[in-house]
Amino acid sequence: MQAPVIHRVAALDLTLQRRPWPFADQRRADIDAHFEAEQRAKPSLWNGRVLLGRDPVFSDGRLSASYFETDFASFLAWRDWGFPDREIFNGFGMGALLSDDGAFVLGEMGEHTSNPGRIYFPSGTPDLDDISGETVDIAGSVLRELEEETGLTPADCRADADWHCIYTGPALAMMRILRVGMSGEALRARIEANLAQQDDPELAAIHLVRSRADLTGAMPRFVTAFIETQLPA
C-alpha cells in the first residue's frame, strides 16, 4: 500500500458497470474456503453484495471512477491476501464527525467485525443500497452508515461541500466533514447511549481526537493522514 495521497474535490462521478471480476471467478474455490474459515471464527460475517472500484481519475476538482458488483467473500479474500488485483480499489465514504469545540469523533470496531480494534469515522464499503440509477451514491452511503453506527441523522449535522479523497492504491477513502452542533464530550455521550440500546453494535468504543497526541496506531494511515491535515499546527 502506497503512502496516502490526498485530493480535495468538489464532485464525485462514480458510475456503475456490469462486468465480471476475473480474480473472483478464477479463485472461487479458494475464496469460498477462506470465507468459511473466517465465518467459523466470526459467525456474524455475512456474504452480501458489495461494490468495488477501478480506474480512478482526479481532474478539475472532480473524482471519476467506475464500480462493479461482487460478493463480500471475494472482497475479503482480496484484502486479506494482499490486494493481488492491483487494478481494483475499495472506494468508500467516511463521515468525519467534527464537534463544535474542535474534536473529531471516531468509533472503534468491535471484535465480531471484519476490522476488530480499528478506529474509523462512520463508513462502510458501498453495497447495493448505495446504487442510484447508474451511479454510486457515496454521499448517501455516508449518511446511511452514520445513522446505522451512531444513531445520528442528517438533521444532526451539516456536511461540508468538498470531499477529501485519500488514495493509497487498494483503498480510496472519500471523507466529508460532518459538523455537529455540540461538544465532543456531549457527542460521545450521545453515541454511547445509542450503542447501549443496540443488541449487537458495530462499535465497541468512541474516541475523541483534538491534537496529534491523540492519534493512535490503531487508526489506518489514511484516517491519520486526513486528521493531521485538519488539526492546528
Side-chain angles (χ1 to χ4, degrees):
M1 187 177 293
Q2 67 186 45
V5 178
I6 300 178
H7 302 267
R8 187 166 182 170
V9 302
L12 305 176
D13 181 15
L14 310 175
T15 60
L16 183 66
Q17 296 183 348
R18 311 294 178 181
R19 60 188 303 166
W21 188 14
F23 164 78
D25 295 337
Q26 295 165 7
R27 301 290 303 275
R28 187 76 265 158
D30 294 334
I31 288 169
D32 290 343
H34 178 72
F35 187 75
E36 288 174 7
E38 292 295 310
Q39 199 171 45
R40 283 194 298 271
K42 298 176 181 177
S44 63
L45 290 181
W46 177 61
N47 191 21
R49 307 299 292 179
V50 297
L51 305 174
L52 297 179
R54 61 183 303 146
D55 303 325
V57 176
F58 296 94
S59 179
D60 299 325
R62 176 183 297 270
L63 163 64
S64 301
S66 61
Y67 276 74
F68 65 94
E69 176 187 342
T70 189
D71 63 318
F72 181 74
S74 296
F75 160 70
L76 190 65
W78 171 78
R79 188 199 72 179
D80 292 350
W81 296 344
F83 317 109
D85 184 347
R86 296 292 177 177
E87 295 184 357
I88 303 305
F89 66 85
N90 178 21
F92 49 90
M94 281 190 155
L97 286 172
L98 182 60
S99 69
D100 63 3
D101 63 347
F104 281 106
V105 183
L106 301 98
E108 181 177 334
M109 301 300 291
E111 288 299 317
H112 63 289
T113 69
S114 60
N115 292 295
R118 303 302 293 275
I119 298 174
Y120 295 100
F121 293 113
S123 63
T125 299
D127 59 32
L128 303 188
D129 289 335
D130 302 315
I131 296 174
S132 177
E134 294 301 315
T135 65
V136 179
D137 179 14
I138 292 296
S141 177
V142 166
L143 295 177
R144 178 171 61 83
E145 295 288 347
L146 175 72
E147 186 164 5
E148 289 178 1
E149 295 183 17
T150 70
L152 298 172
T153 70
D156 295 315
C157 56
R158 176 173 54 85
D160 281 10
D162 289 349
W163 295 86
H164 301 263
C165 299
I166 297 85
Y167 183 52
T168 67
L172 201 170
M174 291 161 274
M175 296 192 189
R176 193 175 222 175
I177 296 177
L178 304 179
R179 301 179 187 273
V180 184
M182 63 179 71
S183 70
E185 292 293 348
L187 183 52
R188 174 161 59 184
R190 176 170 172 177
I191 296 173
E192 288 175 342
N194 178 266
L195 295 176
Q197 297 175 4
Q198 298 181 28
D199 293 332
D200 194 23
E202 282 189 58
L203 303 181
I206 303 300
H207 299 268
L208 301 183
V209 174
R210 299 180 184 275
S211 67
R212 286 171 173 79
D214 294 329
L215 294 173
T216 171
M219 290 184 193
R221 284 188 298 165
F222 53 81
V223 177
T224 301
F226 166 76
I227 292 176
E228 286 183 330
T229 67
Q230 305 300 314
L231 293 174

